[in-house]
């Protein structure tokens, strides 16, 4: 087997290294440090990105890989604000994502249409019936990336039984 080095995604790397993104991710990690339930850490964000990308490939959707990864990395960025009493994390996340995307270096910015699609996915990631492809993929990936079948908190989880992933599947 030949190992092939994965293609870089400079626009996603720009989001990852953005100071506001890193600050908010640290804020989420601190708030969830003793959390018994699922966390919204980098493992979850990347799991959602990877599973979302698989879905894009399976459905033959016309979405660039870095757009899927960008939306997945940003979809829960508003959790820190929610934990501090700032309302729904998808609304806070959209505001934070707007700032982050607007502040990316010139060569690593998403165009207006791409930004709108990412922001719609952040705002709509809790709606699996979303109309736009990216929003629908991120909503789906957010849920199926959770291994409820192996979670020690599955019995105490507030998710409905229908929502839990109780089998090894994607």
């Amino acid at each position: 087997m030949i190992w092939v080095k994965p293609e870089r995604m400079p626009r996603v790397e720009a989001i990852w290294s953005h100071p506001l993104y890193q600050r908010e991710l640290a804020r989420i990690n601190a708030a969830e440090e003793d959390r018994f339930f699922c966390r919204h850490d980098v493992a979850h964000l990347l799991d959602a990105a990877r599973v979302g990308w698989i879905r894009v490939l399976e459905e033959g959707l016309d979405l660039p890989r870095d757009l899927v990864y960008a939306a997945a990395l940003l979809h829960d960025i508003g959790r820190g604000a929610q934990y501090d009493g700032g309302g729904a994390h998808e609304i806070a996340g959209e505001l934070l994502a707007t700032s982050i995307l607007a502040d990316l270096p010139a060569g690593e910015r998403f165009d207006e249409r791409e930004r709108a699609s990412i922001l719609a996915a952040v705002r709509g990631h809790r709606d699996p019936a979303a109309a736009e492809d990216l929003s629908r993929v991120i909503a789906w990936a957010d849920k199926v990336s959770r291994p409820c079948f192996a979670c020690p908190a599955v019995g105490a989880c507030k998710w409905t039984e229908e929502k839990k992933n109780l089998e090894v599947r994607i």
Side-chain angles (χ1 to χ4, degrees), residues 82-120:
Q82 179 178 328
Y83 295 145
D84 289 343
H89 77 274
E90 62 271 21
I91 304 303
E94 182 181 16
L95 294 172
L96 289 163
T98 298
S99 296
I100 292 166
L101 293 172
D103 192 41
L104 295 179
E108 295 165 349
R109 289 188 185 136
F110 292 87
D111 68 29
E112 186 176 329
R113 182 188 55 78
E114 292 170 320
R115 281 191 312 272
S117 186
I118 292 168
L119 295 174

Side-chain angles (χ1 to χ4, degrees), residues 32 34-40 146 151 153-158:
E32 294 182 349
D34 296 323
R35 186 180 168 115
F36 183 58
F37 298 98
C38 298
R39 294 185 182 182
H40 302 88
R146 299 294 190 177
C151 179
V154 70
C157 181
K158 66 180 180 177

Side-chain angles (χ1 to χ4, degrees), residues 16-31:
W16 174 258
S17 62
H18 193 280
L20 178 56
Y21 183 84
Q22 286 298 314
R23 185 192 81 196
E24 292 301 313
L25 191 58
R27 186 175 169 197
I28 295 165
N29 288 337

Side-chain angles (χ1 to χ4, degrees), residues 1-166:
M1 177 181 276
I2 298 173
W3 183 78
V4 178
K5 187 175 181 178
E7 182 181 321
R8 287 188 66 232
M9 293 184 284
R11 299 190 303 176
V12 174
E13 291 171 13
I15 291 170
W16 174 258
S17 62
H18 193 280
L20 178 56
Y21 183 84
Q22 286 298 314
R23 185 192 81 196
E24 292 301 313
L25 191 58
R27 186 175 169 197
I28 295 165
N29 288 337
E32 294 182 349
E33 186 175 21
D34 296 323
R35 186 180 168 115
F36 183 58
F37 298 98
C38 298
R39 294 185 182 182
H40 302 88
D41 57 7
V42 69
H44 166 63
L45 302 174
L46 288 175
D47 284 348
R50 291 174 180 134
V51 170
W53 181 240
I54 290 169
R55 185 63 169 235
V56 166
L57 295 174
E58 288 177 344
E59 289 188 20
L61 300 174
D62 186 23
L63 293 172
R65 184 170 57 116
D66 66 346
L67 196 69
V68 174
Y69 272 71
L73 283 182
L74 290 165
H75 84 274
D76 276 335
I77 202 63
R79 284 274 175 188
Q82 179 178 328
Y83 295 145
D84 289 343
H89 77 274
E90 62 271 21
I91 304 303
E94 182 181 16
L95 294 172
L96 289 163
T98 298
S99 296
I100 292 166
L101 293 172
D103 192 41
L104 295 179
E108 295 165 349
R109 289 188 185 136
F110 292 87
D111 68 29
E112 186 176 329
R113 182 188 55 78
E114 292 170 320
R115 281 191 312 272
S117 186
I118 292 168
L119 295 174
V122 171
R123 181 180 56 252
H125 79 271
R126 296 175 79 184
D127 178 12
E132 187 180 82
D133 285 344
L134 183 61
S135 296
R136 183 177 46 78
V137 164
I138 297 301
W140 178 84
D142 183 36
K143 304 303 178 261
V144 302
S145 64
R146 299 294 190 177
C148 302
F149 58 87
C151 179
V154 70
C157 181
K158 66 180 180 177
W159 276 13
T160 64
E161 291 300 305
E162 296 79 34
K163 208 172 177 185
K164 292 177 185 174
N165 299 317
L166 299 174

